Amino acid sequence: MLQINISTQPIRLDYTNNSAKLSRQTTQPKVEIETTPPTVEIYQPRGELTIDQYPCRYSIGLKNIADFARDNAALGRQTAMDAIARIAQEGNQLARIESKTDAIVDIAANSALSEAPEITYAYIESPEIHYQANPVQFNPKYGKVELNLKRGTIEGNYQPGSVNVQVTQYPSVEISFVDVKV
């Protein structure tokens, strides 16, 4: 009897697998902000205050030289006029001989009498007060915002994957006939 022997050898494959690679390098974006704050310079110069107390002093008799000289000249003029009037009146009194009075005695009696001084309440002038305000000096300085933007970057390197297939053993089928005696 004939016997068939079939022997098979399967295929053997050797796989080499390289994975795909992706390498990335990134640079972070940066925002740089530099600010300068606004400022305001305000300066208030002092005002000028002027107080003139001369009217107040003048009303109580304290005068400057020019006013003192002018007032004394007016007083001297008035005193001279009063003396002229008094002398003219006394001359008229002496000239009236028809009146049977003693004119010299009357004149002497009148000049010996003095009037009592009077107290006078007078208004005292207020001092002159002036104030000159100086304007405010205002100097604003504006603030600034400086923006510096640096963009980020992405650098990529891609290496595709690969599959390497190598046949290490080829398939085969062997058929043989063997004669077997029974």
Side-chain angles (χ1 to χ4, degrees):
M1 153 172 312
L2 281 177
Q3 186 177 13
I4 298 178
N5 280 337
I6 301 173
S7 70
T8 60
Q9 185 176 8
I11 189 167
R12 285 192 189 167
L13 300 174
D14 194 13
Y15 296 100
T16 305
N17 190 8
N18 291 329
S19 299
K21 291 182 183 175
L22 175 63
S23 62
R24 290 182 297 158
Q25 295 172 345
T26 61
T27 304
Q28 295 292 327
K30 291 182 182 177
V31 177
E32 296 174 355
I33 299 175
E34 187 175 323
T35 60
T36 304
T39 57
V40 176
E41 295 176 1
I42 299 174
Y43 176 69
Q44 174 67 52
R46 291 185 180 182
E48 296 176 16
L49 177 64
T50 305
I51 300 174
D52 185 10
Q53 289 204 358
Y54 185 69
C56 178
R57 291 180 179 194
Y58 184 86
S59 65
I60 61 172
L62 300 174
K63 304 171 186 174
N64 63 20
I65 293 175
D67 288 339
F68 183 72
R70 185 182 64 240
D71 289 349
N72 276 339
L75 182 62
R77 191 176 317 116
Q78 185 62 41
T79 304
M81 293 303 227
D82 290 345
I84 290 171
R86 184 184 50 80
I87 292 171
Q89 181 184 2
E90 289 174 358
N92 289 339
Q93 194 174 3
L94 287 173
R96 272 187 261 125
I97 26 181
E98 69 272 357
S99 69
K100 303 268 183 185
T101 62
D102 194 1
I104 294 177
V105 174
D106 289 341
I107 292 171
N110 286 339
S111 61
L113 295 175
S114 64
E115 296 180 14
E118 293 183 16
I119 296 177
T120 305
Y121 294 102
Y123 173 74
I124 296 177
E125 288 289 328
S126 298
E128 292 178 6
I129 300 174
H130 298 285
Y131 180 73
Q132 175 67 37
N134 291 324
V136 174
Q137 295 174 356
F138 182 76
N139 185 17
K141 292 182 181 176
Y142 296 102
K144 289 190 247 176
V145 176
E146 293 181 16
L147 180 67
N148 188 7
L149 180 64
K150 293 182 180 177
R151 295 182 181 263
T153 59
I154 297 178
E155 294 178 8
N157 187 9
Y158 176 70
Q159 294 176 348
S162 63
V163 177
N164 191 4
V165 179
Q166 202 172 21
V167 178
T168 57
Q169 180 180 344
Y170 288 99
S172 65
V173 177
E174 247 181 61
I175 301 175
S176 61
F177 294 101
V178 179
D179 188 16
V180 179
K181 298 190 177 172
V182 179

